[in-house]
Amino acid sequence: MSYPGYPPSGGYPAFPGYPPTGQESVYPPAGQYSYPPAPGGYPPAGGGTYPAAPPSTGYPGAAGYPAPGGYPAPGGYPGAPQAGGMPPYPGAPTGPGFGVPPAGPAFGGYPQPPAQSYAGGGPAQIPVGYSGGQAPSPMPGPPAAVVQCTQGTIQAAPNFDAGRDAEILRKAMKGFGTDEQAIINVVANRSNDQRQKIKAAFKTMYGKDLIKDLKSELSGNVEELILALFMPSTYYDAWSLRHAMKGAGTQERVLIEILCTRTNQEIREIVNCYKSEFGRDIEQDIRADTSGHFERLLISMCQGNRDENQTVDYQKAQEDAQRLYQAGEGKLGTDESCFNMVLASRSFPQLKATVEAYSRIANRDLLSSIDREFSGNVERGLKTILQCALNRPAFFAERLYYSMKGAGTDDSTLIRIIVTRSEIDLVQIKQMFTQMYQKTLATMIASDTSGDYRRLLLAIVGQ
């Protein structure tokens, strides 16, 4: 399935052309869209070491993750505590701590996020941020800041020469036939910033637009994938949001996937790009295409004002958990605005602590309470925020799995996630995918796609 009208015949895209006339090598300014752009962004970029994937035997159990239908069954998400507190996992050391993949099946059938690093210590063997090896009291002291290591499958190529790459692409498209493998070898092994430089060099050297040349030589899913790779990352997110709301119908899951998972800086840049490139106000488009509590949640996300302090305030987590319980399970009806306020404004590490506190107060985990109190798109949006707080790579692994599961393939979702996460955390997404589904991401891509499209996807995921 592709976006409506993507790529449209005779133009790319149908609203102001890509790249904008007269600005082909201007947008974005070099280096403007690094990830994340400011210290304290979540998650930090970088190729920090990452724990090896657990043995393929026994972790996690084949059953239990995720539930049919695209979202986990009530009872938790990777990294969520079980109702009633935080008991030790089967195979884990006795005591209150958790956080390390067990030797046996994961409790609840859900994998845990990779071991995390803490200030002054090694991989955590206890709840994130808790000190002294003990379960927290209701009001524990200040924790150490969490360092979430992430890594992309695509790194900037060493000894990069934009002119040489432009020449390779020109030769691959010149004359009779197209050398698709030569194109794949270039685009799958250059960072997005390097691809923008290749595009500019191509126009300088040959007086032709690389995107138009690629469109004339390629078709179908491989064309969509390569054009996505050549879009600046911020433009691609803005473009995806525009297409999700353009025309009849709205692709709500695209809105949720982008607006509920990006950092503050990324969201602000997306909002500005949406305005400058398409001449539209994203908030007005959201209001025109959505309604009710879902509309309010998306408008909150568009502000890009989530707290990004990585230090957890456990007293606030306890207070927020109590507030959420009183707004949902603890009363008749639901105070939706309370859920919106907490989930839209708290940092992701803070939300994880709130989830843990909530399970002690309510004897039920927060995700299952949202299942009971909400429905439809607002439920999916709230759960996406919590899922990213608990285990962001697992959220994207799940989205990738359901893009390929069953008859047919949701190619636009597959392309969008592979491209947008390729320089951020696709290494971790691959490892979570294997843990959750007992097969590799590459294996599923290979069985669900074909031809140059398959070769390019596998090259990006590092196979």
Side-chain angles (χ1 to χ4, degrees), residues 108-123:
Y110 291 66
Q112 289 296 299
Q116 316 246 332
S117 299
Y118 295 82

Side-chain angles (χ1 to χ4, degrees), residues 434-455:
T434 302
Q435 292 175 20
M436 290 155 62
Y437 303 111
Q438 296 78 53
K439 65 174 73 174
T440 67
L441 176 59
T443 298
M444 197 160 183
I445 287 173
S447 65
D448 227 58
T449 60
S450 61
D452 295 323
Y453 178 47
R454 173 169 57 191
R455 281 194 290 274

Side-chain angles (χ1 to χ4, degrees), residues 155-161 164-165 189-191 194:
Q155 309 288 335
N159 305 316
F160 171 67
D161 184 333
R164 181 181 59 203
D165 285 346
N189 294 288
R190 305 292 184 269
S191 68
Q194 289 175 334

